[in-house]
Amino acid sequence: MEDMRALSYGIGQQYFDERDYRGAIRALLPVVEETPEDVGTRLLLARAYFHSALLKPAAEHLQEVIDRAPTESYAHLMMARTLERLSRPDEAAKHRRIAAALTGDDSLLASHSLRAQS
């Protein structure tokens, strides 16, 4: 069973690396369902959803990652980006502040839309 999860994760990672995000979702979703505590796999799944413009499931999986690993700075940054794309800037700002505090990188405080205007 462990071998099948590792194989599915590897396939999901390969799909992701090839920018076949929907393929990555198909490969990773069963792994996450079987091992919900696996933060790394869930984060990769959330990223695949984000890149597929499936923002609601991306946000749901990112929230699970944050609940399980509150100091995972990249999850907070991805959550901010997801919420920005969902037109929820106030909620996004909170996650940008957390990501900046966890990493010490104040450049994370600016959203993409603000950076694009400057």
Side-chain angles (χ1 to χ4, degrees):
M1 203 57 125
E2 187 81 26
D3 291 339
M4 288 303 294
R5 281 195 305 268
L7 179 63
S8 292
Y9 178 84
I11 292 169
Q13 180 69 60
Q14 182 175 348
Y15 279 134
F16 188 89
D17 292 344
E18 294 170 356
R19 297 185 176 173
D20 179 357
Y21 302 116
R22 303 257 176 165
I25 291 166
R26 285 190 302 275
L28 295 170
L29 194 55
V31 179
V32 168
E33 289 173 349
E34 191 174 323
T35 56
E37 70 284 352
D38 183 348
V39 171
T41 303
R42 188 179 293 273
L43 184 56
L44 184 59
L45 176 62
R47 291 175 62 203
Y49 276 123
F50 176 85
H51 288 296
S52 296
L54 298 168
L55 302 176
K56 187 172 184 210
E60 290 169 359
H61 284 284
L62 288 165
Q63 188 59 57
E64 248 333 286
V65 170
I66 290 167
D67 289 347
R68 293 175 185 279
T71 60
E72 177 57 61
S73 62
Y74 191 71
H76 285 283
L77 180 59
M78 285 301 303
M79 180 65 93
R81 290 177 177 166
T82 302
L83 292 169
E84 287 163 356
R85 288 180 66 185
L86 287 168
S87 299
R88 295 164 52 187
D90 293 340
E91 293 171 75
K94 169 189 147 190
H95 288 282
R96 281 195 174 279
R97 286 191 302 272
I98 294 169
L102 288 170
T103 62
D105 184 356
D106 287 344
S107 71
L108 298 178
L109 294 172
S111 72
H112 284 297
S113 59
L114 293 176
R115 279 187 246 162
Q117 294 172 3
S118 48

